[in-house]
Amino acid sequence: MSTRTSRTNTSWTGGRKGGGSREPFAPTFTTPLYVGSALNPVNSSIIATAMVPIATELGVSVGATAVLVSALYLASAVVQPTAGKLAEVFGPRRIFLSGIVLVLLGGVVGGLGQNLVMLTVARVLIGIGTSAAFPCAMVLIRRRAEDAGLDTPPGGVLGGIAIAGMATTAVGPPIGGLLVGVAGWRWAFLINNPVTLIALVMALRWLPKGPPFDREHSGFRQVAARIDLPGILGFATSMTTLVIFLMSLPQVRWTALAVFVLAAAPTAWWELRTTAPFFDFRALSANGALTRTYLRQALTLLGVYSVMYGMTQWMEAAYGLSTVQAGLMLLPMGAVSMGKGGGLGEIRT
């Protein structure tokens, strides 16, 4: 019996323990991964129709609610690449389940929130939790393919992950508009609870347990070096203060700008010299095509999100449309984005 055949048979046994199926990529394995991967994009878009009602009830300006958008994206930008590295150390199933629990907690905090601070905390929790799903799913899929003796994961499985992101983002505003219109803006947060409970049960029941992680090489110093903790902290500080500075315009917050410069300069210096950088400047400078692709994607997302959030607020606050109507008005944009294979997808930094 060849090594590949032996590995394949082992995979079938693992598949039966994890999901009760002899197929390595049976629905029992892929469904919780699809549901988990859809949580980030749907949460990024479902808030669009809730921002005006939130501002009205909390007595803040509509512009102030933009922090609910930036909080999730900042958390996602930091956590997604970090979660992938943590999944390699502690096991993808553990990190996946931890993320689901954080989303559940964020849904509760947001649903009970009485001020913008609590809602921002909820969005950060949701951003952290949902950002763990996609990298963990990719690690689980890659390992399952290796155990099955496959050179690469099946295209249908990878396509399903991508479709889960694009489809849920496209329908996020209409779903959010319906929820907010019928049950109130708190359901833009509370909707996470039943979905994450279902995902949690499926993940516990169907995702295979990995081997115990190596405690000898999983201490704080080893993990911090592997994930480049200084780079993560520097990147998070730089991006947070930059967003605060930009959101304060035309009023200039010099303190935020100063902190950004003081954090960004040493972070760039560190990332250029460390062996496993969180943000790989050297790879970007050496690959012009990749850099241009990132720039095009950034410009595309800037336009898409400007329309999704800006137009939604204008339609509700100035033009007088209901949340349901505003959400339905964005449905064609989501459909076009899906047809072009991108647009509103989750951040894959």
Side-chain angles (χ1 to χ4, degrees):
M1 182 180 291
S2 66
T3 302
R4 175 164 292 192
T5 305
S6 176
R7 291 178 65 187
T8 303
N9 288 339
T10 301
S11 173
W12 302 160
T13 303
R16 290 180 65 82
K17 290 180 180 178
S21 172
R22 291 183 177 272
E23 294 295 330
F25 294 100
T28 49
F29 174 75
T30 57
T31 299
L33 302 184
Y34 293 160
V35 174
S37 298
L39 289 174
N40 186 276
V42 76
N43 273 283
S44 72
S45 59
I46 202 170
I47 197 72
T49 55
M51 294 170 71
V52 171
I54 288 173
T56 301
E57 181 166 332
L58 297 184
V60 300
S61 66
V62 176
T65 60
V67 69
L68 303 178
V69 177
S70 58
L72 184 138
Y73 286 124
L74 283 172
S76 299
V78 173
V79 173
Q80 275 202 349
T82 306
K85 296 180 180 181
L86 291 176
E88 297 285 359
V89 177
F90 298 105
R93 185 176 185 267
R94 295 184 183 92
I95 302 301
F96 186 94
L97 292 172
S98 299
I100 294 296
V101 172
L102 285 178
V103 179
L104 181 62
L105 178 61
V108 173
V109 173
L112 300 177
Q114 299 299 315
N115 52 57
L116 197 58
V117 174
M118 288 186 66
L119 299 188
T120 303
V121 171
R123 289 286 285 179
V124 170
L125 290 172
I126 292 171
I128 294 173
T130 58
S131 296
F134 177 78
C136 290
M138 295 306 295
V139 173
L140 284 163
I141 290 170
R142 190 193 71 234
R143 290 184 178 180
R144 179 59 66 96
E146 291 173 353
D147 290 340
L150 302 175
D151 295 329
T152 58
V157 176
L158 298 179
I161 291 285
I163 291 172
M166 288 185 289
T168 51
T169 308
V171 301
I175 292 176
L178 181 62
L179 286 172
V180 174
V182 173
W185 63 262
R186 295 184 184 279
W187 274 92
F189 294 89
L190 292 173
I191 188 60
N192 285 290
N193 296 349
V195 177
T196 50
L197 284 174
I198 293 172
L200 186 63
V201 171
M202 289 191 298
L204 287 170
R205 175 66 181 88
W206 293 337
L207 291 185
K209 294 182 179 179
F213 62 89
D214 187 358
R215 295 182 181 274
E216 182 179 351
H217 297 90
S218 300
F220 176 79
R221 290 185 178 180
Q222 291 90 339
V223 174
R226 187 164 181 175
I227 66 175
D228 184 21
L229 183 59
I232 291 173
L233 295 177
F235 178 83
T237 302
S238 302
M239 290 299 99
T240 300
T241 51
L242 178 60
V243 168
I244 292 174
F245 171 76
L246 294 175
M247 289 180 62
S248 68
L249 296 175
Q251 179 184 354
V252 179
R253 290 193 177 184
W254 295 108
T255 302
L257 181 61
V259 174
F260 166 71
V261 173
L262 292 174
T267 298
W269 179 88
W270 170 263
E271 295 298 88
L272 288 170
R273 285 159 178 78
T274 188
T275 55
F278 172 79
F279 194 97
D280 199 340
F281 289 102
R282 289 170 296 187
L284 286 177
S285 62
N287 192 334
L290 179 62
T291 302
R292 290 190 295 273
T293 298
Y294 280 142
L295 289 175
R296 286 194 298 268
Q297 184 72 356
L299 291 173
T300 300
L301 292 176
L302 176 63
V304 167
Y305 290 128
S306 296
V307 172
M308 183 167 67
Y309 298 116
M311 285 295 295
T312 303
Q313 293 180 42
W314 177 81
M315 286 187 290
E316 293 181 25
Y319 198 68
L321 295 183
S322 67
T323 57
V324 177
Q325 292 170 325
L328 291 175
M329 289 290 288
L330 293 180
L331 190 56
M333 184 184 71
V336 171
S337 298
M338 289 176 58
K340 291 185 176 296
L344 297 175
E346 64 181 312
I347 299 173
R348 306 248 198 273
T349 306

